[in-house]
Amino acid sequence: MRAPIGDFDNAWPAPEVLDRLTAPVAAAVRGWAGPVPADQLLYVETDPEKADTAVFVETYGKDLLETSANCVVISAKRGGGRTLAAGVVLSSCRLDVNGAARRELGARKVSFAPHETAVSETGMEYGGITPVGLPGDWPLLIDAAVAELPWVLVGSGSRRGKLILPGKALATLPGAEVVEGLGQRI
């Protein structure tokens, strides 16, 4: 099957390749519910050595600069507690942690979660973290520009592949909230 965005040799419906997904992502795909059918979640293989945005776009298609998104794990502090959350913004943007994310989470301070925390709490590889399969009790902030895309490329839980799905599907994930201005152009 041909992917709707990018230049990939093959794309497979994610439910058909659960063995290529990390455990939390495979579980999320298995239990997928909502207005977008699970077979519209597509999996494509990628070379982890070409993960840098400029090289990735050059290798897999220039259209991906505006149709791919990054999922970033953040830590919000309020009172004496800490809450982990995730933000999803276009790859051409950076997550506004000190403005939009802090306001949406009602936090005193928001910072990027340490690498080890992001990996251990998600069960995913660093550099492949995806909003699909995150802990269900986490707030999931999605930039409106991402949610509006007909198709968006995100991580698959592993650095060896990506998921392509309708942007509106992200808004149906557990804890999801669409936020205007979450991403700021780099």
Side-chain angles (χ1 to χ4, degrees):
M1 160 187 296
R2 179 113 176 103
I5 57 174
D7 183 22
F8 299 97
D9 292 335
N10 291 299
W12 299 269
E16 295 178 12
V17 291
L18 295 174
D19 60 321
R20 297 181 192 183
L21 304 173
T22 59
V25 178
V29 171
R30 244 187 252 100
W32 189 262
V36 174
D39 64 356
Q40 284 191 18
L41 280 70
L42 304 176
Y43 174 84
V44 293
E45 290 181 341
T46 59
D47 181 346
E49 298 298 317
K50 298 182 178 182
D52 174 73
T53 301
V55 175
F56 190 86
V57 166
E58 185 64 35
T59 303
Y60 297 110
K62 294 189 185 321
D63 64 318
L64 295 174
L65 187 59
E66 293 300 326
T67 58
S68 63
N70 293 325
C71 181
V72 182
V73 178
I74 53 180
S75 177
K77 294 179 183 176
R78 61 184 147 204
R82 176 187 79 137
T83 301
L84 290 176
V88 181
V89 297
L90 291 173
S91 296
S92 58
C93 294
R94 65 178 172 79
L95 180 67
D96 181 13
V97 293
N98 295 313
R102 186 181 57 75
R103 281 190 302 277
E104 289 300 319
L105 296 171
R108 179 178 49 80
K109 181 180 179 186
V110 175
S111 57
F112 297 105
H115 172 132
E116 300 79 24
T117 301
V119 170
S120 67
E121 295 293 327
T122 64
M124 301 177 201
E125 291 180 12
Y126 197 77
I129 294 175
T130 181
V132 178
L134 288 175
D137 59 343
W138 282 20
L140 174 58
L141 308 178
I142 301 167
D143 188 82
V146 174
E148 293 168 0
L149 288 172
W151 294 97
V152 61
L153 178 130
V154 295
S156 69
S158 161
R159 292 179 51 85
R160 296 209 158 275
K162 301 285 185 186
L163 294 176
I164 298 174
L165 65 161
K168 67 182 178 184
L170 297 174
T172 68
L173 292 170
E177 183 177 342
V178 176
V179 179
E180 288 287 340
L182 184 65
Q184 296 182 329
R185 289 282 174 192
I186 298 173

